[in-house]
Amino acid sequence: MWGIIATWRMAHDGIVAASEQLKKNGKAGDAAETCIKMVEDYPYYKSVGYGGLPNEEGILEMDAAYMDGDTFKIGGVAGIVDVANPVSVARALSDHKFNSFRVGNGATKYAQLEGFERKNMMTDRSKKMYELRLEEMKEKGLSAYDGHDTIGAVSLDQSGSMVAATSSSGLFMKKAGRVGDSPLSGSGFYVDSEIGGAAATGLGEDLMKGCLSYEIVRLMGEGMHPQEAADKAMYSFHHKLTKRYGKAGAFSLVAMNNKGEWGVATNVEFTFSVANDQEEPAIYIAQMGEDDKTIIEPITQEWLDAYEKRIKTPIDQLGK
């Protein structure tokens, strides 16, 4: 058995590549890293890696994490800059017994000293979007915050090992130094190879209030199918947060158990990609249904065409 699942349509090409590795008895860690690096490297995905969206000072700060479900080793970075693949830095840090989660200058310096590729992660497109948002805030009083879609992946290899990993440029126009849930164990991700794993995307400030990735894994450990566990964890917390806090931000979670079975829950329209030894790589769209059950349907070609057109809008047409 093998499998891999990841958040958002942007993960699909990575899922295809990772599934080929897993079919050939590749390792879960390599598959998860491959999947996420492909998203980090693609300039049209505005919320992860190269071409990601900057903070309010125009600096692209990135967060990433990596967790080994066999050993519980975790590596993480937050606020790292000018590094091509934050997820690879996080993976390297997971081998450190101490100092395995580094932030800001410390994370960037570690990556440089260890020879990770240095790269200006801002593109002409991301600069233009930053400039447009500054104008919108000044002229129309629009909210600064937008674009916080994390790539989160859970992989299972044929030996039964599992890995969870995440990468994000975080909240668009965030305050300098802001960190969301993505690099935080239990919130943005969690995995136990004897049970399964989960990863999250959405508004980090609300996701970290519930530690939902850990909760899904805990429920799977009690015998729940990943879909049942995701629905129970997500919707019970959505209602609790709405009642106590007044509202719940957007959040979505993907999960996979150690049998390659998967589940998804969301309180917004959400796309994801998944593959296992029984299912070819495919993209689905999910939304919150009645009775706290997630509705999941295959993506349509019309949706995919509109998505490609939107993310590749010519720079001179942005904002028009």
Side-chain angles (χ1 to χ4, degrees), residues 160-203:
S161 294
M162 298 192 74
V163 162
T166 63
S167 184
S168 179
S169 61
L171 196 64
F172 184 24
M173 302 297 288
K174 62 191 176 185
K175 298 293 183 182
R178 178 265 188 189
V179 179
D181 68 294
S182 299
L184 303 182
S185 170
S187 292
F189 64 94
Y190 196 79
V191 63
D192 179 340
S193 296
E194 294 184 355
I195 300 172
T201 179
L203 181 60

Side-chain angles (χ1 to χ4, degrees), residues 29 32-38 40 63-66 75-77 80 83-93 116 151 164-168:
E33 185 178 7
T34 291
C35 177
I36 291 179
K37 284 177 67 176
M38 290 185 69
E40 290 177 333
D63 306 331
Y66 176 95
V77 294
I80 196 170
V83 175
N85 295 114
V87 71
S88 297
V89 182
R91 185 179 185 182
L93 283 168
F116 287 95
I151 169 71
T166 63
S167 184
S168 179

